[in-house]
Amino acid sequence: MRAETITPDQLVGACARMKAEGFRFVTMTCTAMDENSFELLYHFDKNLELSTLRLTTSKDSPVHSITAVYFAAFLVENEIQDLFGLRFPGLALDYNRTLYLDEEIRDAPFCKNAAAEKNTAAE
Amino acid sequence: MFEQITRGSRVKSPWLLHYDCSSCNGCDIEVIACLTPVYDIERFGIINVGNPLHADILLVTGAVNHRNRKVLENLYEQMPHPRVVIAIGSCALSGGVFREAYNVVGGVDKVIAVDVYVPGCAAKPEAIIDGVLLGLEKFKKLSNNWRGVGGIFREAETNES
Amino acid sequence: MEHAVSNLVGTPVLLSILIVFPFLAALTVYPVRSARLQTLVVTLTGAVLIAASLLLIPRTPFTLSPKSLLGVDIHVVVETADFLLLFVFLHIGFKHNHTLIKILSVLQIVSLAYLDVRTMSGEHLRVAALYGDNLSLILVLVASIVGSIVCFQSIPYMKAHEEHLEVEKSTRRRFFCVLLLFLGAMNGVVLSNDMGFFHFFFEVTTLCCFLLIRHDGTPAAVANGLRALWMNSLGGFCLLLGMISVFTRLHALDLGRLIELSSKSGIYLVSVALLCFGAFIKSAQFPFQGWLLGAMIAPTPVSALLHSSTMVKIGVYLVLRLAPGMRGAFLSECIAVFGAFGFLAGAALAVGQSNGKKVLAYSTISNLGLILACAGLNTPEAFTAAIFLIMFHSVVKALLFLCVGTIEQRIESRDIEDMRGLCAKMPVTALITVSGVIMMIMPPFGLLLGKWMAIEATAKNLAVVVMVAAGSALTVVYWARWAGTLMSEPFAGRFFPERQPFLTWGALGSLVAGGGVMTVAAPWLYREFFTGILSPGYSPPYVVHGGGLENGWGAFPVLPLAVVAAIGFAVSIVALRRASRVRIVKPYLSGLQTDTPGMFLGPGNRPVKAEASNYYLSSIFGEKRLATLVNLAALVFLILILGAAL
Amino acid sequence: MFPMMPAILRNFFSKRATRRYPPMTREPFAEVRGELKNEGSVCTLCGVCAVKCPSQCIVVDKKNATWQWDPFACVYCGVCVDSCKTGSLRQEPLYRKAATGREIVSVKIVLKEQTK
Amino acid sequence: MPVSTIPFGPQHPVLPEPIHLKLTVEDEVIKEVVPALGYVHRGLEKLAGTRDFHQMVQIVERVCGICSMMHAMCYCECVEAMMGIETPPRARYLRLIWSELNRLHSHLLWLGLFADSFGFESLFMQFWKIREKVMDLQEATAGNRVIVSVNVIGGLRRDLSPEQQQTILNILDRVEDEMRLLEKPLLGDYTVMKRTKGKGIVSAARALELGCVGPTLRGSGVAQDMRQLGYEAYGDLAFEPRVEKDGDCYSRLKVRYREVFQSIDLIRQAMEKIPAGEIAAVVKGRPEGEGLARVEQPRGEVFYYVKADGKKYLERIRIRTPTFANVPVLLAMLPGMCLSDVPVIVLSIDPCISCTER
Amino acid sequence: MIDTILVVAATLVAAPLLGGLISGLDRIATARLQSRVGPPVVQPFHDVIKLLNKEPVAVNVWQVFCAYAYLSASMIAVVLFALGSDLLLVLFTQAVGAVFLVVGALSSTSPYSLVGAHRELLQTLSYEPLLVLVAVGIYLQTGSFKIADTRAWGAPLLLKLPFLYAALGLVLTIKLRKSPFDLSTSHHGHQEIVKGLLTDYSGPFLAFVEIGHWFDVILLLWLCSLFWATSWTGMILLVAVTYALEVVTDNVTARMNWRWMLGYAWAMGLTLSVVNLIWLHVR
Ligand code: SF4
Ligand code: SF4
Ligand code: SF4
Ligand code: SF4
Ligand code: SF4
Ligand code: SF4
Ligand code: SF4
Ligand code: SF4
């Protein structure tokens, strides 16, 4: 897996460069490393070759949204907001953590310490 | 006599509403397959009406999650009596493989009363037909107290008493 | 005819009550500041007018030539007054610096003077000033009865209106004054035989129209008033031109003689065509619809009175009067096609409107077009249709205007979209409005009776019947849409009549009842009144049979149909009463409905209003595009008509 | 003009595609993964099936010597059948019938050693 | 101007799957579209925390019941790559055959639903009638009609006997014949063209910019198909992506219609070349590290990312499905179209919500 | 008088029976064309009886009123037809029914009902002028608008009014809610506006609408039969062939949108009618 590690403030510029070079935005992956730090992967494709940008961030340092460059990222950024509790300032269509989840799920389910167990309201 | 005719018609003209809670599509497409030439449930007078206000039978596929729970309740409420609910596939029965996922509430019977359970993953069209026919048995048993046109002229007694 | 006059003791008195009395009442009310007294004068005048018009019924036909008024030759009085009026127009033109009005006033003054010079010189035939037959009678009845009812309703309306506008100094007395003035003038127009009289009263209605449109004094109101003034002045000018050409031929300004002398000669037809032009403008036919639309800015009773039920009828009345004179001429056929076009175009434009009053305005234009088409067809059936349409349209349209006015005062909008669910707020008014709509489009009600006759009468004229068929389909679209909107949710089934002043209920109620009763009585009305109108030369086209109207190729069983409809209606009402016990469910909103009616849970879990708006098909029926096309087409038609006359 | 015409006319004049189920039933394919059956006689209550089951719908209770299966949670994947070393499990080619209430299948296991 | 706000879905007869579109329309012309999701979200990626990596095969099969087999395959490829497992050649061919069967039934299903979206009911019935043949094949070979559960880590659980292979070929011949007969009604009918041509146009550049994939991308003239990567046995067979230029619903329809024949052809090629031998490799140990895999599903590229650290349970599994990538372009297609075009355009990307939300 | 009462009674009984039967046959034929078995022929009656006995629910009580009014108007129209009265009047009466149906649908706030209602209005707009022109054509040929006179006319009208009959066929397609015109309430559920006009009618009220629809269909077919009123065989044959063509058209076309419909119905229908009328004039 080819991945280039960058810092959060290089992100938007790097994406703009990718776009200029004709890369298609594939998706993003977020992984919770520990309670507070997260790894974000940005996947791109050109001529069937995948390239990835990798960066680490923490809960309280928001990463800027890339929807201004790649509008298509709005879904996945919203998804990560829902599932990991991160925020992406500048998100083009911000569901404010309601893309998938309703108020019954209070915590971000993919966070390490969060109540990862199933919400058992009915039981 | 009148009673028999109305009951008979009810059994012979069950209109379906299909709602996909959070099915993986497996059960869904099998429900649709039932409508198509090879299974053709219109043989039983069944049509898929897609509108709770017209439906007699609610077919639910997939597990209930927090968001679609409200939709399911809404649809159920809009259906006029008498009505039957049929849950299709393990997801709708109990949550299936997803029972433990964080956003899954569980089977359909956690939210509304289920009359028939059709197991399978996915439940095959034949199984769905069996389930519907079993549901029709329930229609036979249901009281005829719903004030139809009928209603308009008969209802007074049932209502005041 | 002379001997008929001698038999009619009291007719002169009745006529002066109908024409002169309102003028006097107007002068009385002008200085009165007390609201009570105003009410008294207005209601009294209305009552007197209604009584007088009813008393006039058995006295037609008649002619009357009063010699003098207060010792002055009456013709001189009228001519002088006419001049004065035109100078008033000129003054208005200068005051508002409106070039067109200035020009048109001068033109009118000049041509009137020319006409006077010619009438004074030469062998001058004094003609009977007034003439009344059943046609005039029907218009007098409409003006006096419907007119008075509208005036009654305008009393509470204007009170609320001024409160609403927070007017400091009430101008109501001026309003009522003009209103009463108009009633007299209206009766004058339809009873005139001397065309000089006709022109005078015609111009009085124009003045009233101007004053009433600009009543609120806002810049828009003044501008629209001025537009109405110049357009109608143009109409007056056409009339004068027509009169000059009539005089050249007849050496008299006698409307009755004009028709009797029917001929196919060019000059004759040109004079008739010119008079018809004046009529088209008064009836706001395309391309002169602008003034009527602008007039909608006036307080609603004005629209009800002038702009739908009475004044605009002057135009079609004149054409109907002239019709026998052009029977068989190509001109007549052209007018039929022009009218049918107006019917179609008006209906199409109404479809594109969401402003309730504008819908009513276009619908009025459209109906007047249909009446014109009937007049142009010039067969006995068509004539009958035209008169039925005039009668019923006046009643129902006045009703609808008053309804919109009443609604507007409550919801502060005249937009149809804002009337959604009105049945919850003002159930009775909403119901009455819906009844009005029903009377507009459904058999057995009179308008449909008229439309039925019209279609059967036009069946042989391909161009006309195609346009009428298309137009009536469009008509159904905009009415049904409106009625449905009024009755929309949230109506839970209980019925709380809203509060309204007595005069409002009275006016609305009597108009609804009137429409219904007249419908049932239509065959007998026909038998009693219409035969007279159709002479000379026309034989009555329908026989009254089994409570319906029938001829060799069609039948409209008014009474049986009314009975059956009433039964159906009664059953539905019973069902409705029972239905208050059905379970009320929320409407279908894809499973997202919330507890608040009409709201669904949208993206981001936010409640969203499931707005449901009507279609106005602006891409097809939008005013901007369509109106230009229609105006162009209408202009072409008018030129053709003139060509046809030549 | 209407290219669909031949197709529907062919349908009209030929045999209909419908399998009239019920009353007519078709012989199931041999390999179909249907209802789960535990013969009981060879089961050793080893619990492998319960562990491997992706839907975790088998409960093996050694104490009470029962093998329990929840047909409403089972996804009929056959993993348990594949993983059972003793061949105690098999899948019928027919699916399980619809029911009007919850069901749990419980099989009392008589272990071979004990019977000896 | 008077507008209406229409809640389109989640329960709506046109949408077999729940998604919500808040449509703002005026006289039936769409002014604005805002989607809402979450009606199918179960959270199954999280199940990786309670199921081992073998059991996850059965879970990812149920991401979607339509291309269940391809999900499992993609996941297995990903894990196999991480663990360095070499799948036997026969398994690579078998996987190809089953995935093309999956694509066949999926495309036939879509063709039917698409026909229904513009109210061509008899055509819908016709496609689904044909599709039943493919369903029978799946059931007879894999044991299930829709959840084609044949994959395990390292290879397959089921083999195809020579008779079964012959049956597949025979039946596919009939499917092909019947499909050819439907070419004119589908692609040459005036009413169909009227409803699909010029609707929902996206240019190639716009499609790439919005990240769309699969037939939606190829319908806009971009020749991109993950099968070009040559995973499984695709590298051994002759393969050319099917491309259409216009970028409207009609193009997308044509792409999928032509892909039906392509799938049949691929299966035939595979049947000729398939070698004998084992169908699964032996799996030892646990995965560790990061893995990525992509597979061309009927709706386009699916993307799997797996992270593991040698423990019993996987650390993270991330699935980006084709519809997820095609939603943005859908939003761009709708404004300016008619309400009656909404079903046509929505279906033209062949949306599958269950995989989008997982 | 007795005669009249008998005719009325017979019509009121026979029309819905026939209407239901036709609808049942239609469903079977459609199923066959799609290679399916389809429902039993009495299915429409089962449907209606069931609906009549469902719990009455409504979104707004006005809807109840409208359902009754629609049914009454449709019944009256057919009865008027049976009594041989004025054709135009019959058409107007039937239009009343359509208006009430629309008003009932508009009384809901659901956009689905509303869109359906407007589409229904647009459909009315498309076919009403054609119907009127058909009546006019009949009048021009037979010299009367009265249906009784038309029935007694000596020669088959079809030979003189072939284009008008084609226009009537267009109207029939719209009225029967068949493709390509099934816009406002598709007879099957898969369309963008759910059941459109009928979305919020439910239970017994939906049954009334259905029965009213049967009456409407009978009326139109009866009108078609006037075009070969000289012999029973001709009449039945004409209607059967016409209906069969409708079913086939339904199955070989996609559903179009209302803009297309309006343009097509007016351009095509009006041209057909006008050509025929001109032809009558010239002769
Ligand atoms: S039961 Fe199986 S096939 Fe059905 S929805 Fe659930 S996972 Fe899918
Ligand atoms: S809303 Fe009515 S009452 Fe109020 S100012 Fe306007 S016209 Fe007058
Ligand atoms: S078939 Fe699958 S789900 Fe069912 S019990 Fe066996 S392993 Fe569990
Ligand atoms: S069924 Fe097989 S795997 Fe399960 S407990 Fe018994 S022997 Fe063990
Ligand atoms: S796109 Fe997703 S849901 Fe749809 S078929 Fe493919 S995997 Fe299944
Ligand atoms: S795009 Fe086509 S369907 Fe939509 S409004 Fe325009 S013409 Fe109608
Ligand atoms: S689009 Fe495909 S997968 Fe999605 S619901 Fe429809 S048929 Fe099922
Ligand atoms: S809409 Fe009706 S006829 Fe069409 S497929 Fe669905 S159920 Fe069958």
Side-chain angles (χ1 to χ4, degrees), chain F residues 196-248:
Chain F
L197 186 66
L198 304 183
T199 302
D200 291 318
Y201 285 98
S202 174
F205 314 119
L206 185 62
F208 290 154
V209 173
E210 191 58 35
I211 299 173
H213 184 61
W214 292 346
F215 274 102
D216 286 0
V217 168
I218 289 297
L219 180 76
L220 271 182
L221 291 178
W222 210 346
L223 180 56
C224 288
S225 78
L226 285 185
F227 281 73
W228 207 293
T230 45
S231 90
W232 278 100
T233 1
M235 204 165 182
I236 293 171
L237 213 66
L238 179 66
V239 173
V241 169
T242 311
Y243 201 93
L245 282 178
E246 296 294 342
V247 176
V248 169

Side-chain angles (χ1 to χ4, degrees), chain C residues 420 423 431 438 441-443 448 452 455-456 459-460 462 465-466 469-470 473-474 476-477 480-481 484 487-489 491 493 550-557 561 564 569 571-573 575-576 579-580 582-590 610 612-615 617 619-620, chain F residues 55-62 64-65 68-69 72 76 80 86 88-89 92-93 96 99-100 102-103 106-112 114-115 118-119 121-122 124-125 128-129 132-133 136 139-140 143-146 149 194 199-200 205 258-259 262 266 270 274 277-278 281:
Chain C
R420 191 169 294 282
C423 58
L431 261 182
I438 288 177
I441 49 172
M442 288 187 189
L448 233 275
W452 168 78
I455 295 182
E456 296 209 344
K460 289 205 164 115
L462 196 57
V465 82
V466 170
L474 284 166
V476 170
V477 171
R481 181 175 75 192
M487 283 322 195
S488 160
E489 288 179 284
F491 183 78
E550 202 174 325
N551 65 3
W553 57 86
F556 197 106
L561 209 57
V564 178
F569 194 73
V571 171
S572 312
I573 289 283
L576 177 78
S580 48
V582 305
R583 179 158 71 102
I584 299 291
V585 290
K586 289 170 204 144
Y588 178 81
L589 286 176
S590 295
S613 305
N614 289 322
Y615 290 13
L617 310 181
S619 55
I620 311 174
Chain F
E55 177 195 21
V57 302
V59 294
N60 178 339
V61 290
W62 290 113
V64 178
F65 176 85
Y68 274 85
S72 321
I76 295 173
L80 283 175
D86 194 288
L88 269 184
L89 184 62
F92 287 153
T93 311
V96 170
V99 168
F100 272 113
V102 167
V103 170
L106 286 173
S107 72
S108 158
T109 43
S110 164
Y112 290 98
L114 186 112
V115 172
H118 278 103
R119 286 194 186 172
L121 279 179
L122 288 162
T124 321
L125 181 56
E128 271 302 320
V132 171
L133 292 183
V136 167
Y139 161 74
L140 288 180
S144 173
F145 279 101
K146 288 184 198 152
D149 294 348
V194 190
T199 302
D200 291 318
F205 314 119
W258 61 260
R259 282 170 212 267
L262 202 60
W266 279 37
L270 285 182
V274 169
L277 291 179
I278 290 178
H281 265 286

Side-chain angles (χ1 to χ4, degrees), chain C residues 458-471:
Chain C
T458 60
K460 289 205 164 115
N461 190 326
L462 196 57
V464 176
V465 82
V466 170
M467 286 198 275
V468 171

Side-chain angles (χ1 to χ4, degrees), chain C residues 405-412 425-426 498-500:
Chain C
T406 313
I407 295 168
E408 191 188 14
Q409 290 202 322
R410 172 75 178 270
I411 67 170
E412 306 202 353
K425 281 180 236 156
M426 332 175 58
E498 71 273 23
R499 289 184 58 86
Q500 288 288 352

Side-chain angles (χ1 to χ4, degrees), chain B residues 97, chain D residues 34 36 49 52-58 67 69-70 73-81 89 91, chain E residues 58:
Chain B
V97 264
Chain D
L36 193 62
C49 52
K52 295 268 175 172
C53 172
S55 188
Q56 312 202 320
C57 56
I58 300 179
W67 177 93
W69 167 63
D70 180 353
C74 171
V75 295
Y76 303 90
C77 62
V79 167
C80 51
V81 180
L89 289 177
Q91 276 182 299
Chain E
Q58 269 66 45

